[in-house]
């Protein structure tokens, strides 16, 4: 009779252990260099979409540790002598996923000319 009471607890424990193992395996293959390179490539695309002048390079990016418990790295991309509005910031979690992005907004296309 007591086995029936422990069944859900054992099942929940096994499911949580499986999820923890899965995320542990995913996390072990991610390095800081991989994350910085990934978001440097995204910076190139975001810079082109924003319509800013200048030629973006992947070497414009640097990273620092995150502030909160969920933020692993903050990748900042942009030319150093430009004002702060031209910087792209990507906050990245421990699995390499994007938490928050800030930077110049893409320019909307102008009115069509006929």
């Amino acid at each position: 009779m007591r086995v029936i009471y422990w069944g859900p607890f054992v099942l929940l424990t096994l499911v949580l252990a499986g999820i923890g193992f899965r995320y542990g395996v995913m996390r072990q293959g991610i390095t800081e260099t991989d994350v910085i390179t990934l978001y440097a490539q995204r910076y190139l695309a975001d810079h082109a979409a924003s319509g800013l002048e200048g030629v973006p390079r992947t070497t414009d990016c640097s990273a620092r540790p995150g502030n909160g418990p969920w933020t692993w790295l903050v990748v900042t991309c942009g030319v150093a002598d430009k004002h702060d509005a031209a910087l792209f910031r990507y906050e990245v979690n421990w699995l390499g996923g994007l938490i928050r992005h800030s930077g110049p907004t893409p320019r909307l296309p102008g009115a069509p000319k006929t």
Side-chain angles (χ1 to χ4, degrees), residues 33-78:
T33 304
D34 295 336
V35 171
I36 295 168
T37 303
L38 175 71
Y39 286 99
Q41 295 294 326
R42 180 170 175 168
Y43 160 67
L44 297 177
D46 288 348
H47 188 279
S50 69
L52 294 172
E53 67 265 355
V55 178
R57 295 183 304 267
T58 57
T59 56
D60 294 342
C61 297
S62 62
R64 64 175 175 76
N67 296 338
W70 301 110
T71 305
W72 178 33
L73 292 172
V74 177
V75 180
T76 306
C77 300

Side-chain angles (χ1 to χ4, degrees), residues 7-107:
F9 177 73
V10 170
L11 183 64
L12 179 65
T13 302
L14 289 174
V15 167
L16 290 177
I19 291 171
F21 179 75
R22 179 177 179 265
Y23 282 123
V25 168
M26 288 172 56
R27 173 68 179 96
Q28 86 179 28
I30 299 174
T31 65
E32 292 176 356
T33 304
D34 295 336
V35 171
I36 295 168
T37 303
L38 175 71
Y39 286 99
Q41 295 294 326
R42 180 170 175 168
Y43 160 67
L44 297 177
D46 288 348
H47 188 279
S50 69
L52 294 172
E53 67 265 355
V55 178
R57 295 183 304 267
T58 57
T59 56
D60 294 342
C61 297
S62 62
R64 64 175 175 76
N67 296 338
W70 301 110
T71 305
W72 178 33
L73 292 172
V74 177
V75 180
T76 306
C77 300
V79 182
D81 61 343
K82 295 283 185 178
H83 52 80
D84 207 31
L87 291 177
F88 293 84
R89 285 189 183 86
Y90 305 95
E91 293 185 26
V92 182
N93 67 15
W94 290 93
L95 295 174
L98 182 64
I99 297 173
R100 189 175 304 114
H101 168 261
S102 64
T105 56
R107 277 196 237 164

